[in-house]
Amino acid sequence: MEPLLGSAPSLNLADLEAKLVRGGRGGYCYEHNTLFWTALKQIGFAVTPLTARVVLGAAPGDIRPRTHMLLKVDVTGEPHPYVVDVGFGSIGALLEPIELREGAEVSDTPRHHRLVHAPHDGPLELWELQAEHSGAWEPQYSFTLEPYEAPDYEMINWHVATNPRSPFRQAVYARRTLPGSHLALSGPDLVETADDGTIKERLLSGPDEALQVLRDDFGIDLPEGTRLPE
């Protein structure tokens, strides 16, 4: 929400806890995965933060920047690490960890994901997360295992939040996975997709209704006096 209202969200841990845990708010990948990264480390997991290119919705030949944060988690006694991601807003987002190995699949009901290698000219293997949709595998994002650090995400976060061409500067976005359905708000478009694929779509009347939907349907408690751009 901060990018739409003219600022970059803080990635300070105290601010993230106040906002996401105690404040009834949502956030995007850098916020959710930074907080989850910290929690996993504190209970003893070895965590490597990574960055991905979102390929979902990209036109053939488009090369998007690496702007999505995800995590690699090593588990003692397990032969392979896992990919963990609590910040991808798509309906194709992971609901459970997936083993980091070629061809690994996870039936994170009602979703189904797999990891495969993708063609790549670089020195590191390129991994691609795919989600099954209507019987076909749909790429979500691609990534290498190059580790990133907190200052890298500070820079990416600022760029995504303040670049005038960033989609987060143009409209409000919200996603919520519920038992039996997935809610998606993109600007004035509210879409509810049931687990069986049934879609209900509604065009909101304006910012006031969007604020009501954020509160009532997404459970987001925005600060008093918040106003969305027309």
Side-chain angles (χ1 to χ4, degrees):
M1 185 66 68
E2 283 90 340
L4 183 63
L5 300 178
S7 65
S10 171
L11 300 185
N12 176 275
L13 289 175
D15 293 338
L16 291 176
E17 182 178 358
K19 178 183 179 182
L20 303 180
V21 178
R22 306 183 190 281
R25 295 284 304 281
Y28 55 19
C29 63
Y30 318 119
E31 298 170 272
H32 285 286
N33 278 325
T34 293
L35 194 63
F36 195 47
W37 170 17
T38 303
L40 289 171
K41 287 195 302 180
Q42 289 182 346
I43 58 178
F45 289 100
V47 184
T48 304
L50 308 173
T51 305
R53 302 183 194 276
V54 177
V55 296
L56 179 67
D62 279 358
I63 301 177
R64 291 174 170 172
R66 298 186 187 186
T67 57
H68 177 63
M69 181 182 184
L70 65 153
L71 306 172
K72 177 174 76 74
V73 180
D74 290 278
V75 180
T76 302
E78 294 288 335
H80 300 96
Y82 287 82
V83 170
V84 177
D85 186 355
V86 296
F88 192 52
S90 167
I91 195 171
L94 284 169
L95 296 178
E96 298 179 15
I98 185 170
E99 195 174 16
L100 184 62
R101 60 174 175 82
E102 169 69 15
E105 296 188 25
V106 59
S107 294
D108 43 344
T109 307
R111 302 176 187 176
H112 186 197
H113 289 88
R114 73 176 182 182
L115 277 174
V116 298
H117 286 140
H120 182 52
D121 293 330
L124 301 177
E125 290 181 325
L126 185 67
W127 295 87
E128 185 174 84
L129 177 71
Q130 299 180 344
E132 188 178 20
H133 179 70
S134 300
W137 289 106
E138 184 176 56
Q140 304 296 301
Y141 54 71
S142 61
F143 60 96
T144 68
L145 299 186
E146 178 184 0
Y148 278 61
E149 301 291 345
D152 299 318
Y153 298 112
E154 289 284 357
M155 182 182 69
I156 301 170
N157 173 52
W158 181 86
H159 173 79
V160 169
T162 62
N163 189 320
R165 298 194 304 174
S166 170
F168 296 105
R169 290 289 306 275
Q170 312 302 320
V172 61
Y173 291 92
R175 304 288 185 268
R176 187 180 187 186
T177 298
L178 297 165
S181 67
H182 179 266
L183 283 178
L185 178 64
S186 302
D189 296 316
L190 179 65
V191 178
E192 180 178 7
T193 304
D195 290 349
D196 63 5
T198 303
I199 295 176
K200 297 179 182 178
E201 187 169 3
R202 179 159 63 94
L203 187 66
L204 305 185
S205 60
D208 289 341
E209 188 179 12
L211 286 173
Q212 181 179 347
V213 165
L214 288 171
R215 181 183 63 250
D216 297 344
D217 297 319
F218 289 87
I220 295 175
D221 185 14
L222 291 169
E224 186 73 26
T226 297
R227 292 292 181 267
L228 300 178
E230 293 288 343

